[in-house]
Amino acid sequence: MPVLADKVDKLFKTILNNGREYTYEEVARGCSELSGGTFSKTYVWQLRTGQRDNPTKRHLEALAAFFRVPAAYFFDDVAAERIDAQLALASAMGNAEVRDIALRAMSMDDSGRKHLARIIREVSLLHSAASGRGRTAGEDASPVGAEGVTGRDGTEGAEE
């Protein structure tokens, strides 16, 4: 289970403001406005670094509201795992190449998406095999032949 500081740090690193992390001052000001209470930039820093690890429910709710995540992120481990997965996806979608692949996949029919998913699996296997054996990316590290994912006749190769 991630400690509070890890969760706060993850929010800072994944929920960005125009491509950069929010400052402690911005978070403190936003949380103060949302909660009607007081937050200092030092307090936000202490929460993020683990110097403080027992905030009030009101403070956690304000942090959640500021970063636009459910308050359950701080109280429910199952919800935190689900939200972390969503944050990872949102972060990946911030990458131009990943976003381009996703947008292109959306315009494909089911068959095209199935083929794309297979290609991505094969590339991932190649990458894992190359990394595991100390190979360079250009070396053949899997049984996939020179013709790639589909055979020369256009049919898909055998499933794993």
Side-chain angles (χ1 to χ4, degrees), residues 89-158:
L89 177 60
S91 181
M93 292 304 286
N95 178 302
E97 289 86 10
V98 172
R99 190 172 50 251
D100 183 53
I101 291 167
L103 291 172
R104 288 174 188 264
M106 287 175 55
S107 67
M108 294 178 178
D109 61 11
D110 287 342
S111 176
R113 280 190 293 274
K114 179 180 174 186
H115 289 305
L116 179 60
R118 178 158 172 79
I119 291 167
I120 290 170
R121 271 194 311 276
E122 291 292 333
V123 170
S124 180
L125 288 171
L126 284 168
H127 179 73
S128 295
S131 297
R133 297 182 194 165
R135 295 174 183 245
T136 61
E139 293 180 278
D140 188 13
S142 86
V144 176
E147 63 271 14
V149 175
T150 57
R152 287 191 181 104
D153 63 355
T155 59
E156 190 169 310

Side-chain angles (χ1 to χ4, degrees), residues 13-140:
K13 289 180 177 177
T14 57
I15 301 175
L16 304 177
N17 179 21
N18 294 320
R20 65 165 179 82
E21 287 185 10
Y22 283 97
T23 66
Y24 294 118
E25 178 66 34
E26 289 169 328
V27 174
R29 186 175 46 250
C31 287
S32 292
E33 291 170 4
L34 290 165
S35 71
T38 59
F39 261 78
S40 72
K41 63 182 179 182
T42 302
Y43 182 66
V44 174
W45 172 82
Q46 289 171 332
L47 291 174
R48 185 178 185 185
T49 61
Q51 303 294 316
R52 289 286 209 54
D53 62 359
N54 194 19
T56 66
K57 182 177 181 239
R58 182 179 54 84
H59 284 137
L60 292 178
E61 289 171 341
L63 277 170
F66 178 83
F67 285 108
R68 297 173 305 281
V69 297
Y73 181 69
F74 294 111
F75 302 108
D76 180 347
D77 292 338
V78 174
E81 287 179 24
R82 180 179 43 79
I83 294 163
D84 280 342
Q86 292 170 348
L87 291 173
L89 177 60
S91 181
M93 292 304 286
N95 178 302
E97 289 86 10
V98 172
R99 190 172 50 251
D100 183 53
I101 291 167
L103 291 172
R104 288 174 188 264
M106 287 175 55
S107 67
M108 294 178 178
D109 61 11
D110 287 342
S111 176
R113 280 190 293 274
K114 179 180 174 186
H115 289 305
L116 179 60
R118 178 158 172 79
I119 291 167
I120 290 170
R121 271 194 311 276
E122 291 292 333
V123 170
S124 180
L125 288 171
L126 284 168
H127 179 73
S128 295
S131 297
R133 297 182 194 165
R135 295 174 183 245
T136 61
E139 293 180 278
D140 188 13

